[in-house]
Amino acid sequence: MSGFFGATSTTDEVLAGVDLKGKRVLVTGVSAGLGVETARVLAARGAQVVGTARDLAKARAATEVVRAGAANGGSLDIVELDLASLASVRACADALIADGRPFDVVIANAGVMAAPFGRTADGFETQFGTNHLGHFVLVNRIAPLVKSGGRVVIVASSGHRMAPFSLEDLNFESKTYEPWAAYAQSKTANILFAVELDRRLQERGIRATALHPGGINTELGRHLEPDMIEGMIAQINAALAAEGKPPFQWKTIPQGAATSVWAGFVAPADVVGGRYCENCHVSEVTDAEISPISEGVRSYALDPETARALWAKSEGMVGERF
């Protein structure tokens, strides 16, 4: 079943005939885009979804469609979480632990992209602190709630290929800040986190995976000027034309969220565990020069030694051992 899907598959197609009644799922970032769509399709098939958001009012308005379409016992609860504040992350995790109800799947979906230079509440570079460290603390703190046989799905990006990864100066304290390099660093960290998390949780029967949702025009691009986006697409289209390929097309939001639900509920656990997925399949490792929209994951993003080193570095940065 898992081999019949691809780049244009939608969430509804991927989960056609899948009954999620009784499943409980945590989805971070349900105030827009992929998070809302992920929550919608899960609740429509009976899952009890817990969504997180920094702006609760915005999330409640955005998820009216989720509640309206919930069926077969499906539901949505929204809890407050600001991934750019470890105090907020820990408070959210503590509340979930105190509640005590287990999760079948955790989907770490929230994030920021190409943000101007800034610091989180704890002094970390915004993109690394939000995309990686916030999820690192949240997922590790609630890991005891994940059922045996469960999964952790971490939304990364092909953007990890934009810059090589180094454990040095993760906060851009000495090197010059470049938004895309910082984004690439945070997305590589997402993948490496999944690799080491998968290794650590396998003994409990839990698998972790990372994925690229595809190019989708969502609020994630709010820091990009329209002419910048147009310029990027023009470059991509020129490269595609040279290869005799058709022009670039954005994925729809249901197509973009499809790989998240495929990796969480449809793909065999042993196939996706510790791997990087895109277009509803596991991606091949390549270090060759490829276009921005080509498939492929860099070997440095799946390197187990780097993954262990990043884990230790992350523990030191957040002041917590897992």
Side-chain angles (χ1 to χ4, degrees):
M1 181 177 184
S2 59
F4 295 113
F5 306 114
T8 60
S9 297
T10 66
T11 50
D12 284 316
E13 290 168 349
V14 168
L15 290 182
V18 177
D19 184 0
L20 298 179
K21 186 175 178 62
K23 299 287 187 183
R24 194 161 183 262
V25 187
L26 178 71
V27 181
T28 66
V30 297
S31 59
L34 299 184
V36 173
E37 172 61 15
T38 302
R40 182 202 66 79
V41 75
L42 297 179
R45 280 153 184 79
Q48 299 165 21
V49 181
V50 177
T52 77
R54 180 169 52 89
D55 185 334
L56 294 181
K58 179 183 178 183
R60 290 190 186 102
T63 55
E64 286 181 4
V65 63
V66 180
R67 286 180 289 274
N72 196 29
S75 63
L76 173 69
D77 291 322
I78 301 176
V79 297
E80 186 173 3
L81 170 66
D82 181 357
L83 287 164
S85 164
L86 291 184
S88 174
V89 172
R90 288 168 177 142
C92 178
D94 289 348
L96 293 172
I97 290 289
D99 176 79
R101 285 177 289 173
F103 290 104
D104 295 275
V105 176
V106 172
I107 301 177
N109 164 81
V112 293
M113 181 178 75
F117 180 75
R119 300 281 186 197
T120 67
D122 305 279
F124 306 123
E125 184 277 314
T126 298
Q127 297 187 80
F128 187 78
T130 303
N131 295 345
H132 170 59
L133 291 176
H135 278 125
F136 177 78
V137 173
L138 177 71
V139 171
N140 274 308
R141 281 197 162 217
I142 66 170
L145 292 178
V146 181
K147 293 180 181 177
S148 177
R151 302 187 195 185
V152 178
V153 177
I154 299 175
V155 178
S157 173
S158 64
H160 78 275
R161 305 190 313 235
M162 292 181 182
F165 184 76
S166 172
L167 289 170
E168 301 304 315
D169 197 16
L170 293 170
N171 278 324
F172 286 85
E173 291 167 338
S174 57
K175 61 189 175 186
T176 302
Y177 181 77
E178 200 288 308
W180 285 115
Y183 179 68
Q185 173 178 272
S186 73
K187 293 289 107 178
T188 299
N190 284 156
I191 303 168
L192 290 166
F193 176 39
V195 169
E196 178 62 6
L197 186 69
D198 182 73
R199 185 187 72 82
R200 288 169 175 250
L201 295 183
Q202 275 190 60
E203 64 182 20
R204 288 182 50 207
I206 299 166
R207 304 307 301 266
T209 189
L211 63 90
H212 170 51
I216 312 110
N217 198 5
T218 70
E219 280 192 14
L220 187 66
R222 60 185 170 272
H223 295 298
L224 305 179
E225 296 294 333
D227 59 346
M228 180 186 296
I229 296 174
E230 290 173 9
M232 291 169 64
I233 293 175
Q235 285 185 320
I236 291 170
N237 283 338
L240 289 172
E243 297 175 11
K245 295 178 180 178
F248 168 77
Q249 284 190 314
W250 294 106
K251 277 190 176 185
T252 66
I253 289 175
Q255 289 170 342
T259 303
S260 293
V261 297
W262 174 83
F265 300 93
V266 177
D270 290 342
V271 170
V272 298
R275 306 291 293 277
Y276 169 89
C277 308
E278 55 190 328
N279 295 329
C280 298
H281 60 253
V282 173
S283 186
E284 296 295 325
V285 178
T286 178
D287 291 320
E289 185 174 338
I290 54 177
S291 73
I293 62 168
S294 297
E295 294 187 1
V297 58
R298 296 305 192 205
S299 59
Y300 58 72
L302 294 174
D303 181 68
E305 289 187 12
T306 306
R308 285 193 287 271
L310 174 63
W311 187 287
K313 182 85 169 180
S314 300
E315 287 180 327
M317 293 176 80
V318 302
E320 201 165 350
R321 293 288 301 274
F322 297 108

